[in-house]
Amino acid sequence: SSANPLTLNLLRKALITLDANNAHRFNSTGENDKPGTGGYVAFVHPNVVFDIYNDPELKAALQQNSNNDKFWTGYIGSIYGIQIFQSTLAPVFAGAGSGGSNVYGTILVGQNAFGVVDVAGRGKYELIIK
C-alpha cells in the first residue's frame, strides 16, 4: 500500500523473523540457478514491483547485484538471500487499506513451507500452520 510500501527494512525484518523462528532455508544443491538455493523466496504482486524501485536502498542493492539478466522470467532480484519473484498470485486485499485502497501481500517462504495434497483423500495428511 502507499502508506506502507515494501522496503529493504521490511525485508530485513522478515528475514530476521524467519531466522529467529528456525525457518529452513532452501538447501544448496550445486544448482545455483535453482530458485531459493541457500535462502528464501518471496512472491510479490506486479504492483509491488513499483514500490521496490521507489525504495532507493532496495533499488540500489538490486542493481548492484546485477540481477537484470533474469527479468523476463519474473525474477526481480536477490537481496540478503531472499530471491524476489513477481507473481499475480500474490494476495490482494481489495479495499483493505486506508481510503479503500488495495493492500498487496508479499509471501516469503522457506524450504518445506508448502506441499502437495492428495485431493482424492487416499492418504492421511496433517495441516500444519506456523
Side-chain angles (χ1 to χ4, degrees):
S1 85
S2 60
N4 191 22
L6 183 63
T7 62
L8 186 59
N9 192 46
L10 286 174
L11 285 174
R12 280 193 298 254
K13 286 180 181 180
L15 179 68
I16 289 169
T17 300
L18 286 173
D19 285 342
N21 286 286
N22 298 315
H24 295 273
R25 291 176 179 247
F26 286 90
N27 290 331
S28 178
T29 61
E31 300 175 36
N32 292 330
D33 58 350
K34 190 173 186 178
T37 301
Y40 300 110
V41 174
F43 300 99
V44 299
H45 192 276
N47 290 345
V48 174
V49 176
F50 179 81
D51 292 335
I52 288 173
Y53 293 124
N54 270 343
D55 178 48
E57 274 190 308
L58 189 51
K59 180 180 177 181
L62 290 172
Q63 287 174 337
Q64 287 176 356
N65 289 334
S66 60
N67 293 300
N68 296 329
D69 57 15
K70 296 185 181 178
F71 271 88
W72 62 274
T73 64
Y75 177 71
I76 302 302
S78 179
I79 186 72
Y80 293 126
I82 300 171
Q83 292 184 20
I84 304 169
F85 290 87
Q86 174 179 290
S87 174
T88 55
L89 298 177
V92 178
F93 305 97
S98 71
S101 63
N102 293 342
V103 175
Y104 298 92
T106 296
I107 301 170
L108 186 58
V109 297
Q111 185 173 2
N112 302 321
F114 58 92
V116 178
V117 176
D118 178 7
V119 292
R122 292 177 292 219
K124 182 178 179 184
Y125 296 96
E126 180 181 358
L127 177 62
I128 300 172
I129 300 174
K130 292 187 177 184

